[in-house]
Amino acid sequence: MLKNPIGFKTYALEAGIKYQNKKDVGMIYSETPCVYAGVFTSNKVFAAPVKLCRERLKDKIQTVVVNSGNANACTGEEGYQDALNIALAAEKTFELKNAKALSLSTGVIGVRLPADKIILSIQKYQKSVESPEEFSKAIMTTDSFPKAISKTFKINGKDITITGFAKGAGMISPNMATMLAFIITDAFIDAKIQKKILHELTENTFNAITVDGDMSTNDSLIFLSNGMSGVKINKKEELDLFKQNAFEVMEFLSKEIVRDGEGATKLIEIRVENVKNKEDAKKIGNAVSNSLLVKTAFFGNDPNWGRIAAAAGYSGAKIDQDKLSIYFIDQLIFQNGKPLPFDKKEMTEKLKNSKEVLIKIIPETGSFSKRFFTCDLSYDYVKINAEYTT
Amino acid sequence: MLKNPIGFKTYALEAGIKYQNKKDVGMIYSETPCVYAGVFTSNKVFAAPVKLCRERLKDKIQTVVVNSGNANACTGEEGYQDALNIALAAEKTFELKNAKALSLSTGVIGVRLPADKIILSIQKYQKSVESPEEFSKAIMTTDSFPKAISKTFKINGKDITITGFAKGAGMISPNMATMLAFIITDAFIDAKIQKKILHELTENTFNAITVDGDMSTNDSLIFLSNGMSGVKINKKEELDLFKQNAFEVMEFLSKEIVRDGEGATKLIEIRVENVKNKEDAKKIGNAVSNSLLVKTAFFGNDPNWGRIAAAAGYSGAKIDQDKLSIYFIDQLIFQNGKPLPFDKKEMTEKLKNSKEVLIKIIPETGSFSKRFFTCDLSYDYVKINAEYTT
């Protein structure tokens, strides 16, 4: 069941940014100031709100305003002023003391944000819906379903809740691959530890997924904890439990993004196993996950493992093709550089009937493994992105 | 007009590799041994014929056998023996002395090559067609048209001819992006100079194009000169003239590959101008050329320059978005990080009516510029690659 951690409220507002009668602004409000950590796009062309969110990494945050329909990216100095004005308006509306607001945006790049409309909607927030479900819908762009999850667990006999929201279906690439995600909790965590956890968990969740390999200008992952459960995370086992739950929230959201990848019909898990070093595992996983030929083959239910081998080969990882092995679903079909016979018709049928597919790539003998999630590339990806106009 | 340089013959043979009644083997024969230079895929998973062609870089070459329909890649030690046996059979058939044969393949990965059928077709070569046009057709795979050109020019009053053939429409990426190409000439050039020219010209032709960013296991560019024009390239101005003509041959072929990109409706030229260093120009050009969002926008005739800015931003090049400018066709639409107003309807119409589009990306002030060629991504790319089965 989706529920907000103690002290958090989430709103869905109507600002009329791109369309009328559509909830296009989401707002998170905490009754007390939150410890804030964030991970952002590494794109050198980053949106104005990313700049603002980065500047406030040392502040406590109490309110977050998120709009869909306009990314406020490539909008110059005016765009930054717009983002700032939205944050200031939220701070004034909620009469924040010792805490600040964040402003985030997603949607079209290069068009000036109608900040006035958003500010007006914030001021009228009491007339809007307060609900985590509605919040998760208000932040959607090309998403076909909302992405949200809550986990509640006990520490020292008291409930802690972690709730996560995400939006994103295209412009998804492994280097901070979320578009926008918000993780909120009522646990009390030390700021440094919170930051460390966020970066550690991002590596194997939002940074291990791809839809199209296009890195967004707006990717932001915001982590807020208000401590209102009264439970402080202290001991190692408490931290481990908290991390496990936070990981499950982030993994669920990141897989949901891939599952909802524009036009996707399949979720594909790529496991790169027994590699000597982490960097090579990443290179192989990224190359295979982003290969158009691999992705179109999956759409066609074609067990074309040769394209997987080729992508691993050009990934930049140190690969000796005579030591390379590939498992397709549960079958070893390429072993130490040699193809093994398999029933292609049967495998094609298996693919046709699978919404989730597992591929294992084993380049050599080592102790490091890494998982990646990608999706297939269909006619609908082309349709969505050829017709989604500026 | 397409013609072979003096002393060269090109054949189109039928081996029945994948289909019956289809010319699927091309053969180049020179009356005298040729100086040979080559550039090959940097894919760590490379096909058996690539291994063979690399091993023979120090030899003189007199015959080249090329098959379509089967790439002889990921075929292990047996695949290498197949490639070698084809070369040996060609050497025997033509009774080569002091020169060797090459064997090259393109097509499906991971399926054993029917070498016997190819050897049989070589032995019956006298019954086949000798024609450069037919040769260029025999090496096609998913190509929708053959790609070939001849240039004849005079040095010291004598004719020199350079003829080039290429095949490739998919699995095209900037790092040796040709699938297969053959440049043959009757000029006499020193081996070291020939090698130097080939690598220099490849950088701005076959290495500056992309269709889908997937690097092939088989990419090979073979350069042969037999010297039978009797003209030796000596002086600087002779070399310059030769290089200019070789460049035109290679540029024509590489642009033809992009124009024939699987499902492509447009040839897109990306000029990265005024960059401080070559590496950053390459990073920007490659990222923009391979961006799915950029490519689908072009298919939809959408002047979505924001996606171009985003791709430049994540390219890995040092970019300051406040100094970034973009020209779309002939119009400056993003200047020093700020969008400029433009007539979107007019630009969409221009795109609809253009088979070739020019984009200029100017990240800063510098003296280095570089051109890239890419194509749009259409439904047909997905169709061709989802349905092209192993």
Side-chain angles (χ1 to χ4, degrees):
Chain A
M1 200 197 73
L2 198 61
K3 64 169 185 176
N4 281 329
I6 300 169
F8 279 102
K9 284 181 176 163
T10 44
Y11 299 92
L13 321 173
E14 262 180 47
I17 294 166
K18 205 172 167 183
Y19 307 103
Q20 295 303 312
N21 303 318
K22 188 190 174 302
K23 298 200 177 74
D24 49 8
V25 172
M27 205 158 63
I28 300 172
Y29 171 73
S30 166
E31 289 170 22
T32 56
C34 301
V35 172
Y36 160 44
V39 183
F40 303 95
T41 183
S42 57
N43 199 320
K44 294 276 190 292
V45 175
F46 52 85
V50 169
K51 189 180 173 194
L52 185 82
C53 289
R54 277 190 184 131
E55 284 170 357
R56 302 188 159 198
L57 275 172
K58 284 179 181 170
D59 296 308
K60 291 236 174 184
I61 298 297
Q62 203 168 342
T63 307
V64 179
V65 183
V66 195
N67 74 273
S68 56
N70 186 316
N72 195 9
C74 296
T75 45
E77 180 56 27
E78 288 166 346
Y80 177 75
Q81 282 302 327
D82 290 334
L84 183 62
N85 288 339
I86 291 167
L88 294 174
E91 287 160 16
K92 202 174 166 192
T93 302
F94 288 99
E95 296 174 356
L96 303 191
K97 285 165 195 157
N98 308 318
K100 288 187 174 167
L102 298 178
S103 155
L104 293 98
S105 302
T106 71
V108 161
I109 296 173
V111 178
R112 179 116 191 242
L113 185 69
D116 292 350
K117 289 183 181 175
I118 296 172
I119 290 169
L120 213 67
S121 75
I122 298 170
Q123 289 162 347
K124 293 188 292 184
Y125 83 96
Q126 280 156 317
K127 289 181 193 159
S128 70
V129 194
E130 194 274 294
S131 134
E133 286 83 3
E134 291 299 315
F135 172 84
S136 66
K137 284 180 203 161
I139 62 174
M140 284 164 61
T141 308
T142 56
D143 304 61
S144 68
F145 54 83
K147 298 158 187 74
I149 186 172
S150 294
K151 290 259 171 194
T152 299
F153 53 100
K154 282 189 195 304
I155 286 184
N156 295 331
K158 280 190 184 167
D159 276 349
I160 287 180
T161 298
I162 304 176
T163 295
F165 305 96
K167 68 141 315 258
M171 229 186 209
I172 302 293
S173 183
N175 231 333
M176 190 54 237
T178 172
M179 293 294 288
L180 299 185
F182 306 94
I183 314 295
I184 57 179
T185 180
D186 46 23
F188 184 88
I189 323 167
D190 173 78
K192 271 191 191 165
I193 295 174
Q194 177 168 327
K195 187 181 167 188
K196 197 167 164 269
I197 291 173
L198 183 67
H199 285 266
E200 199 179 314
L201 298 181
T202 302
E203 179 68 14
N204 291 312
T205 55
F206 292 111
N207 271 358
I209 61 171
T210 189
V211 169
D212 49 16
D214 268 282
M215 190 196 294
S216 159
T217 49
N218 288 61
D219 292 335
S220 303
L221 169 55
I222 306 293
F223 189 5
L224 300 175
S225 56
N226 67 7
M228 286 184 72
S229 65
V231 185
K232 191 166 177 179
I233 310 288
N234 274 318
K235 294 180 203 147
K236 191 185 173 294
E237 53 265 44
E238 292 165 2
L239 187 63
D240 286 347
L241 185 63
F242 183 82
K243 265 171 70 174
Q244 181 55 34
N245 279 278
F247 173 74
E248 284 169 17
V249 165
M250 287 167 67
E251 191 192 37
F252 174 84
L253 294 174
S254 54
K255 280 172 80 171
E256 287 282 277
I257 288 175
V258 180
R259 212 186 299 275
D260 196 20
E262 289 164 346
T265 70
K266 280 184 184 57
L267 175 75
I268 302 153
E269 180 175 346
I270 312 276
R271 278 195 212 156
V272 187
E273 296 191 343
N274 306 341
V275 192
K276 274 184 188 144
N277 67 73
K278 199 172 154 178
E279 278 316 302
D280 276 356
K282 272 178 106 162
K283 284 177 186 166
I284 295 167
N286 286 339
V288 176
S289 301
N290 282 318
S291 159
L292 259 65
L293 288 173
V294 170
K295 289 158 80 74
T296 47
F298 276 112
F299 176 59
N301 297 305
D302 177 12
N304 198 327
W305 59 268
R307 294 182 180 176
I308 296 171
Y314 68 67
S315 66
K318 280 185 208 88
I319 278 193
D320 176 352
Q321 63 176 330
D322 295 332
K323 290 181 186 164
L324 181 65
S325 299
I326 297 172
Y327 279 84
F328 213 98
I329 304 183
D330 45 8
Q331 204 165 340
L332 181 63
I333 55 175
F334 188 58
Q335 187 176 32
N336 297 326
K338 268 188 145 179
L340 301 181
F342 70 99
D343 188 332
K344 199 172 294 168
K345 219 173 152 185
E346 193 186 285
M347 192 65 88
T348 301
E349 275 309 303
K350 267 192 198 172
L351 283 173
K352 267 188 196 157
N353 299 319
S354 302
K355 287 265 174 209
E356 303 199 5
V357 181
L358 174 66
I359 301 298
K360 281 196 273 185
I361 303 171
I362 307 168
E364 52 178 342
T365 320
S367 57
F368 195 82
S369 294
K370 198 160 160 56
R371 295 195 306 163
F372 297 81
F373 295 95
T374 185
C375 58
D376 56 334
L377 182 78
S378 71
Y379 298 119
D380 278 354
Y381 179 87
V382 179
K383 187 174 175 184
I384 293 164
N385 286 297
E387 293 178 7
Y388 180 81
T389 52
T390 45
Chain B
M1 201 198 72
L2 197 61
K3 64 168 184 177
N4 281 329
I6 300 168
F8 279 102
K9 283 180 177 165
T10 43
Y11 299 92
L13 321 173
E14 262 180 49
I17 294 167
K18 203 172 170 184
Y19 307 102
Q20 294 303 312
N21 303 317
K22 186 190 175 303
K23 298 201 177 72
D24 50 8
V25 173
M27 205 159 62
I28 301 172
Y29 171 74
S30 167
E31 290 170 22
T32 56
C34 301
V35 171
Y36 160 44
V39 183
F40 302 95
T41 183
S42 56
N43 200 320
K44 294 276 190 290
V45 175
F46 52 86
V50 169
K51 188 180 174 196
L52 185 81
C53 288
R54 276 188 184 132
E55 285 170 356
R56 302 189 160 199
L57 275 171
K58 283 180 181 170
D59 296 308
K60 291 236 174 184
I61 298 298
Q62 204 168 342
T63 306
V64 179
V65 183
V66 195
N67 74 273
S68 55
N70 187 317
N72 195 9
C74 298
T75 45
E77 179 55 28
E78 288 166 347
Y80 177 75
Q81 281 304 326
D82 290 335
L84 183 62
N85 288 339
I86 291 167
L88 294 175
E91 286 161 17
K92 202 173 164 192
T93 302
F94 287 101
E95 297 173 357
L96 302 190
K97 285 165 196 159
N98 309 316
K100 288 187 174 167
L102 298 179
S103 155
L104 294 98
S105 301
T106 72
V108 161
I109 296 174
V111 178
R112 179 114 191 245
L113 185 70
D116 291 350
K117 289 184 182 175
I118 296 171
I119 290 168
L120 213 67
S121 76
I122 297 170
Q123 288 161 347
K124 294 188 292 185
Y125 82 97
Q126 279 156 317
K127 289 181 192 160
S128 69
V129 195
E130 195 274 294
S131 133
E133 285 83 3
E134 291 298 316
F135 171 85
S136 67
K137 283 181 203 161
I139 62 174
M140 285 165 60
T141 307
T142 56
D143 305 61
S144 67
F145 54 82
K147 298 159 187 76
I149 186 173
S150 293
K151 290 259 172 193
T152 300
F153 53 99
K154 281 189 196 303
I155 287 183
N156 296 331
K158 280 190 183 167
D159 276 350
I160 286 181
T161 297
I162 303 176
T163 295
F165 305 96
K167 68 140 316 257
M171 230 185 208
I172 302 292
S173 182
N175 230 334
M176 191 54 239
T178 172
M179 294 294 286
L180 298 185
F182 306 93
I183 314 294
I184 56 179
T185 180
D186 47 23
F188 184 89
I189 322 166
D190 173 78
K192 271 190 191 165
I193 296 174
Q194 176 169 329
K195 186 180 167 188
K196 196 167 164 267
I197 291 172
L198 183 67
H199 285 266
E200 198 180 315
L201 298 181
T202 301
E203 179 68 14
N204 291 312
T205 56
F206 292 110
N207 271 358
I209 62 172
T210 189
V211 168
D212 49 16
D214 267 282
M215 191 195 294
S216 160
T217 48
N218 289 60
D219 293 335
S220 303
L221 169 55
I222 306 293
F223 189 5
L224 300 175
S225 56
N226 68 6
M228 286 184 70
S229 65
V231 185
K232 189 165 177 177
I233 309 289
N234 274 318
K235 294 180 203 148
K236 190 185 173 296
E237 53 266 43
E238 293 165 1
L239 187 63
D240 287 347
L241 186 62
F242 182 83
K243 265 172 70 174
Q244 181 55 35
N245 279 280
F247 174 74
E248 284 168 18
V249 165
M250 288 167 67
E251 190 192 39
F252 174 83
L253 294 174
S254 54
K255 281 172 78 171
E256 287 282 276
I257 288 174
V258 180
R259 213 185 300 275
D260 197 19
E262 289 165 343
T265 69
K266 281 184 183 57
L267 176 75
I268 302 154
E269 180 175 346
I270 312 276
R271 278 195 211 157
V272 187
E273 295 192 344
N274 306 342
V275 192
K276 273 184 189 146
N277 68 73
K278 200 171 151 178
E279 279 315 302
D280 276 356
K282 272 179 104 161
K283 284 176 185 166
I284 295 166
N286 286 339
V288 175
S289 300
N290 282 317
S291 159
L292 258 65
L293 288 173
V294 170
K295 290 159 78 76
T296 47
F298 276 112
F299 175 59
N301 296 305
D302 177 12
N304 197 328
W305 60 268
R307 294 181 180 176
I308 297 172
Y314 69 67
S315 66
K318 281 185 208 86
I319 278 193
D320 175 353
Q321 63 176 329
D322 296 332
K323 289 181 185 165
L324 181 65
S325 299
I326 296 172
Y327 279 84
F328 213 98
I329 304 182
D330 46 7
Q331 205 166 340
L332 181 63
I333 54 175
F334 188 58
Q335 187 176 31
N336 297 325
K338 268 188 143 177
L340 301 181
F342 70 99
D343 188 331
K344 200 172 295 169
K345 217 172 154 186
E346 192 186 286
M347 193 64 88
T348 301
E349 275 309 304
K350 266 192 199 172
L351 282 173
K352 267 187 196 158
N353 299 319
S354 301
K355 286 266 174 208
E356 304 199 4
V357 181
L358 174 67
I359 301 297
K360 282 196 273 185
I361 303 170
I362 307 168
E364 51 178 342
T365 320
S367 57
F368 194 81
S369 294
K370 198 159 160 54
R371 294 195 306 162
F372 297 82
F373 295 95
T374 185
C375 58
D376 57 335
L377 182 79
S378 70
Y379 298 119
D380 278 353
Y381 179 87
V382 179
K383 187 175 175 183
I384 293 164
N385 286 297
E387 292 179 8
Y388 179 82
T389 52
T390 45

